[in-house]
Amino acid sequence: MTDVAVLGAGMHPWGKWGRSFVEYGRVAARAALADAGLEWSGVQSVVGAGTVRGGYPGYVAGAAFARVLGWQGARVASVYAACASGAQAVAAARAQILAGQADAVLVVGADAAPKGFFAPAGGDRPDDPDWLRFRLLGATNPAYFGLYARRRMALYGDTAEDFARVKVKNAAAGALNPLARYRKAVTAEEVAASPVVADPLRLLDVCATSDGGAALVLGSMEFARARGVADPVRIRAVSTVTPRYPRTVLDLPDIATDSACGVGAGAGAGAASAAVPFRASIARAVYEEAGVGPEDLSLAEVYDLSTALELEWYEDIGLCGPGEGASLLGKGATALGGRLPVNASGGLASFGEAVPAQAIAQVCELTWQLRGAAGARQVPGARVGIAVNQGLFGHGSAVVAVR
């Protein structure tokens, strides 16, 4: 068995609060422990998702969270994989549980984000693609989002109006979520009237940078049953795959395609799937491990850094064919009440990026939905959900949860 139980889920509301990431993580952790009905002293391990903006405590996030909760001797680990940090933290906790090293593991991610665009870490690093794309091109993250959007317009005929409808959908869901930063419905006209950030994307097409925190208490199935939890939400699979050569679609932080000097086309793990684009390969791997497919899903939480990118995720996770994302959206299939709601939480459109926390927050939303505890945004009869995103430098991130 590869299932581990989600015993508790908790979050600190997203926003701009002006406090330490450790405080956001502490609040989220306490909420998850309370949800699990478990004392902090009953946790055998802590896995923290790191933040490069938190000084040294951010690099050793697991210990920073353990310290603020109160030293009690638990194992500790810290992981950083940019936007995939949360999924890697979940993967590390799951591995400990399945290996029999711990019965209950606390997973925490939190961030205190800067105002405006994310920037690279300081110093001169001419061998670092992330540093280079800022210094050589001045290419902030939204510049890449704009390139993705233009590519969709050129290949598939997507329009600015299609992108705006994604924001309208997600804002309507976020308005129902008390943890979201932005809780106001918007119209397509308001999206169109907002300032251009990276043509063709406007301010309301692009997610903000935010403060926030999220936490999960994971446990073995035996531990859950011993505590009287007979039918918990279960994490069935986690995907943290990397890209394969040739990588022909421009992606953060790269400014050119992969080099063939290190590996030939089709070489390495999963060579038979070498033609699958990176984002699609993230979902394929998690489906294969979980033994499910897109047809089994009840809902999905996807990484909507921009409205255009959400449409691409529809195709990458198999909800429709290439170029059919805008049509699927137009039919209402991905809205609350639709055939397969996407970003019922409101997505990053409603939360913004608190980088190490967001993949964990996605699993929190799946947990509440699969429990039937999501309130006004509840997806009826939810049984299987996927949370998917990716991290800088080719970090895959996907989780399948079931009930």
Side-chain angles (χ1 to χ4, degrees), residues 45-49 62 65 76-79 88-90 92-93 96 105-108:
S45 181
V46 183
V47 183
F65 296 133
V76 68
S78 300
V79 298
Q88 292 213 0
V90 169
Q96 290 181 4
V105 182
L106 176 65
V107 180
V108 192

Side-chain angles (χ1 to χ4, degrees), residues 1 12 17 21 58 156 202 222 257 271 281 287 303 336 341 393:
M1 293 294 292
H12 184 291
W17 307 108
F21 82 97
Y156 307 128
R202 296 178 175 272
E222 294 80 3
T257 58
S281 75
Y287 287 143
Y303 187 49
L336 287 175
F393 285 93

